[in-house]
Amino acid sequence: MSYDVNDGDLVLCVNAAPNHVTGDPVPLVEGETYRIWGVWEFMCPCGRSDALIDVGVGFAWCQSRFRLLPKPKSRKTVERKVSVPKPLEPVE
């Protein structure tokens, strides 16, 4: 495929069509995000991908069913200056 995936990456299911080899329905949901449990460098029988992906649903799925999501950016803590009102002196 055009992108490398690794264990722990997040992928978006973009194709929940029936199994392209057997025609059986698949338990994947189009538009849902899955975390990759394992990647096998194995040519899919359909010829559309060079890896099978385990996302914890069923066994292993063709990599062409998923798109890699970008990694979340780390949040940097920003110190903000808090303005405190000055105490007023009582007027007599």
Side-chain angles (χ1 to χ4, degrees), residues 7-72:
D7 296 351
D9 286 346
L10 291 176
V11 289
L12 178 69
C13 178
V14 295
N15 182 357
N19 187 311
H20 49 262
V21 176
T22 64
D24 296 334
V26 299
L28 300 171
V29 178
E30 190 171 345
E32 288 226 354
T33 303
Y34 296 93
R35 184 168 302 278
I36 296 177
W37 290 11
V39 178
W40 292 280
E41 300 296 327
F42 181 78
M43 186 67 101
C44 184
C46 72
R48 290 183 276 195
S49 74
D50 55 1
L52 295 177
I53 298 176
D54 180 11
V55 293
V57 177
F59 178 64
W61 301 100
C62 180
Q63 188 178 5
S64 66
R65 289 185 180 268
F66 303 97
R67 294 294 173 263
L68 182 64
L69 292 174
K71 296 195 184 297

Side-chain angles (χ1 to χ4, degrees), residues 80-88:
R80 296 183 180 172
K81 189 173 181 178
V82 178
S83 61
V84 179
K86 294 181 184 178
L88 298 174

